[in-house]
Amino acid sequence: MNHTVKRKIGAKTWNEWSWGWFLIAPTMIGLIVLNFIPIVQTAYLSFFKSGDFGRGNIYIGGENYRKLIHDPQVWHAVGNTLLYTLLVVPVSIAIAMLVAVLLNGKLAGRSLYRTIYFIPMVAAPAAVTMVWRWMYNQHYGLINYGLSKLGLPAVNWTTDPRVAILSIAVIGIWSVIGYNMVLLLAGLQEIPKDYYEASDIDGASRVRQFFVITLPLVTPTLFFVVVTTIIQAMQVFDVIYMMIDVSNPAYDHTVSLVYLFYNNSFKYSNKGYGSAIVMVLLALIMIITFFQMRAQKKWVNYM
């Protein structure tokens, strides 16, 4: 006969559990109120169509999803979003890693350099975009002025469909380097110095130390940086919104999914269709994150 033994949970364990739930309660409540509930509401709204003059919602089932499948602008936005992510993520992380390694060594004025690199993260996106918009100006922008001094022709940085997405990606790379650098620097400082001292005795060069010691041991932090940077890049909006308007010749080559959602929801008063577009973005982020979580076992080394 099988006898089920019930283990009594002591008062100390209950106290630890209570304090644990109490401490994570603010974060859990914030996630539920600010993330989970809006996701459910958006998914629900995607099956409706806004009534005339934005009054009331009319249930139309999956019509919004059938519409977006045949909407070329949605697929332009998907391609632009993925292209922007592919441009920003590898380059920004590579530069952030290089800067973090340099600042982790014996360098005069390290604190000043850390502050300088982190400034773009605390600057207002609107102010940052306005400065870059001035620099990209075709007639009196600083970049084209420099090109003219070199005898090179001016470039339409924000209106040429072939160049506009690259111009926006440069702003994205510049903006996120500081944040990634701080995270990677924190990961580098967790690596025990004993490994480097032993490799110095064995005569390993700095380059070999980086690939054999630094890079493998910083992969947990690097994995977090990759995941969060991809999610952030997939949600790009403010830079494109302030640089490119719907009348811009480069609009179709730069519009992102979030920008398309904004236009449909707030400019065209079609919140149902805009919600369906956002659900496509959510699905893409979940799929990419899922494969990242599965792939981490092959390259992330936890000490």
Side-chain angles (χ1 to χ4, degrees):
M1 296 179 63
N2 294 328
H3 297 281
T4 303
V5 180
K6 294 184 178 180
R7 184 170 61 90
K8 292 185 178 180
I9 301 175
K12 182 179 179 181
T13 304
W14 275 113
N15 186 50
E16 291 177 352
W17 287 0
S18 300
W19 274 106
W21 281 105
F22 174 75
L23 292 173
I24 68 172
T27 302
M28 295 297 294
I29 294 172
L31 287 173
I32 293 172
V33 174
L34 300 177
N35 294 90
F36 295 144
I37 292 178
I39 288 174
V40 174
Q41 290 177 333
T42 302
Y44 175 78
L45 189 61
S46 66
F47 295 99
F48 290 82
K49 177 183 179 181
S50 299
D52 295 335
F53 304 104
R55 297 179 180 178
N57 294 317
I58 305 170
Y59 178 77
I60 57 174
E63 185 61 32
N64 285 326
Y65 292 97
R66 286 189 289 270
K67 178 182 176 182
L68 67 83
I69 290 175
H70 301 286
D71 189 348
Q73 198 170 53
V74 172
W75 294 109
H76 281 309
V78 171
N80 296 334
T81 302
L82 294 176
L83 177 59
Y84 174 86
T85 303
L86 288 174
L87 291 172
V88 170
V89 175
V91 177
S92 63
I93 293 178
I95 297 175
M97 173 63 79
L98 177 62
V99 174
V101 170
L102 293 175
L103 294 182
N104 193 44
K106 296 180 180 179
L107 182 67
R110 287 185 300 176
S111 299
L112 177 61
Y113 287 122
R114 293 174 187 175
T115 303
I116 292 174
Y117 277 104
F118 195 73
I119 284 177
M121 285 302 301
V122 299
V128 169
T129 306
M130 290 302 295
V131 172
W132 278 95
R133 189 173 181 177
W134 168 74
M135 293 176 63
Y136 280 143
N137 188 276
Q138 178 185 359
H139 303 290
Y140 53 82
L142 182 62
I143 298 177
N144 278 341
Y145 175 77
L147 292 177
S148 66
K149 291 298 181 180
L150 297 174
L152 299 174
V155 178
N156 300 328
W157 297 103
T158 59
T159 56
D160 188 342
R162 299 169 298 176
V163 180
I165 189 66
L166 297 176
S167 303
I168 294 170
V170 169
I171 303 175
I173 293 169
W174 177 82
S175 300
V176 79
I177 285 176
Y179 178 73
N180 290 342
M181 179 269 296
V182 170
L183 293 177
L184 292 171
L185 184 59
L188 292 173
Q189 293 176 346
E190 292 297 321
I191 300 176
K193 302 299 181 183
D194 299 342
Y195 294 113
Y196 295 102
E197 294 173 358
S199 63
D200 285 335
I201 295 174
D202 292 337
S205 64
R206 296 300 178 188
V207 175
R208 183 166 179 79
Q209 285 181 348
F210 174 78
F211 286 103
V212 176
I213 300 174
T214 304
L215 194 57
L217 295 182
V218 82
T219 49
T221 306
L222 187 60
F223 172 70
F224 174 80
V225 169
V226 170
V227 172
T228 54
T229 306
I230 288 177
I231 294 175
Q232 181 182 3
M234 294 284 288
Q235 300 179 55
V236 61
F237 166 70
D238 47 9
V239 176
I240 302 177
Y241 173 74
M242 296 192 66
M243 296 282 290
I244 311 291
D245 56 33
V246 294
S247 61
N248 192 308
Y251 174 79
D252 286 337
H253 293 78
T254 55
V255 61
S256 66
L257 283 169
V258 178
Y259 192 8
L260 198 60
F261 152 77
Y262 172 82
N263 286 338
N264 282 277
S265 297
F266 300 102
K267 283 189 174 181
Y268 312 140
S269 299
N270 193 351
K271 293 182 174 61
Y273 190 57
S275 298
I277 294 172
V278 166
M279 296 310 297
V280 172
L281 175 62
L282 177 62
L284 285 174
I285 292 175
M286 291 180 66
I287 292 171
I288 294 173
T289 305
F290 171 77
F291 283 108
Q292 286 179 297
M293 298 298 292
R294 293 293 298 272
Q296 69 167 318
K297 298 178 182 178
K298 297 182 179 180
W299 67 279
V300 179
N301 302 297
Y302 293 99
M303 293 189 295

